[in-house]
Each structure stands twice: as structure tokens, then as C-alpha cells.
Amino acid sequence: MSRLIKQGLVTDDTWLPLNPDIAIPAPRQICNLEQWLQIADKNGSAVQLESGQEPAPLFDFLEQIQLVVIHFPVFTDGRGFSYARDLREHGYCGELRAGGHFIRDQLTYLRRCGFDAFQLADESGLEDALASLGDFSEHYQAAIDQPLPLFRRRTRTTR
């Protein structure tokens, strides 16, 4: 069973991995977009988006989808950051998982875009990656996880 960071803990993955060679995925199995589009009952489903697959086909079903995995083929492909933001801005409240090839230094930014789970390609660094989520205590910019910029959150002091 693979392991991942989810809601601030290193834990076992309870979903079956993606298998693109099957027509009908098993219950609690992650589907690719093509498989997911063929499912009649999308309630409790899980779908993985690849780089270049925009999340727009999911927007009408966000309340039914339990897990969205956005796969990063290489750490330099930043499209997944935008996909996560789009999903959260359209109201997706389920698990949003970054999977694949990203680096520890990107975890804070992934979380700021809306990811709440991280499945690294190399599981040996999970504990260090989890620790890196605490590297920054404050952020100046607004993001999905904090919609107000720092200057709006500060209280004025009297002089």
C-alpha cells in the first residue's frame, strides 16, 4: 500500500491506483478522465487529471467527486497549480491530491493553491516533506488557503 501526506499526516492511501488498461474501474479505484467520463454514477468517484487535461469537465459534478488527483509528470510543469485553483474556486471541497514528480520546495505553494494531499513519486522523503509544510508561518499574497493579503489581515496600531 502506498503512503502519502494527507491533512497534515503521513498515512496509507486507501484508494486503488489508476489502471488505464481496464474498462470499468473497481470501487474506490482512481479513474483516468476517459474512464471517469464513462461512469454513470459519479457519486464517491475519484479521477486523475494529467497535464494538459483541464478540470472543466468535472465542474458539473464537483459535489459527487470524492478525490481529484492532479498528476505532475515533471516538477517544472506548473499547470497543476492552476487546475487546483480552478477546482477550489468552482467550489470543490473534496480531497485534492498532487501526485507524481514535484519537489519538497513546492509543497507550500501546492497547498496554497488548494491541495490538501500529496503523493510524492519517492515515498522515502515523506517525513521531511511533511516537515517542510511548516517552513513558512505567514504569507504576503492572497491565495486559496488565505484569500486576504497580509496588509488586509493586519490590525492597525494607534500612534
Side-chain angles (χ1 to χ4, degrees), residues 20-40:
D21 297 328
I22 59 174
I24 302 172
R28 295 205 49 86
Q29 182 159 31
I30 300 170
C31 305
N32 62 30
L33 184 59
E34 292 76 26
Q35 292 167 327
W36 183 83
L37 288 170
Q38 299 303 315
I39 296 173

Side-chain angles (χ1 to χ4, degrees), residues 30-150:
I30 300 170
C31 305
N32 62 30
L33 184 59
E34 292 76 26
Q35 292 167 327
W36 183 83
L37 288 170
Q38 299 303 315
I39 296 173
D41 182 11
K42 296 181 183 347
N43 222 13
S45 62
V47 60
Q48 178 169 309
L49 295 177
E50 296 297 329
S51 187
Q53 292 180 323
E54 303 236 357
L58 310 180
F59 291 162
D60 290 336
F61 304 94
L62 294 179
E63 291 182 10
Q64 298 173 39
I65 303 170
Q66 193 170 347
L67 166 65
V68 175
V69 179
I70 297 178
H71 183 253
F72 288 80
V74 293
F75 80 92
T76 56
D77 188 339
R79 291 177 279 188
F81 289 85
S82 299
Y83 298 166
R85 187 198 69 232
D86 286 348
L87 284 163
R88 292 299 189 201
E89 286 178 346
H90 278 85
Y92 181 63
C93 296
E95 180 181 335
L96 185 53
R97 181 185 301 179
H101 299 277
F102 49 90
I103 57 176
R104 174 184 160 176
D105 293 353
Q106 293 173 312
L107 288 178
T108 296
Y109 305 109
L110 289 164
R111 182 173 59 187
R112 300 220 61 223
C113 291
F115 288 101
D116 57 3
F118 310 93
Q119 191 162 29
L120 285 78
D122 178 8
E123 292 182 15
S124 67
L126 281 175
E127 295 296 335
D128 289 338
L130 177 61
S132 75
L133 286 170
D135 285 350
F136 300 98
S137 61
E138 196 60 75
H139 305 282
Y140 293 113
Q141 301 87 359
I144 292 297
D145 67 341
Q146 177 49 261
L148 292 176
L150 182 63

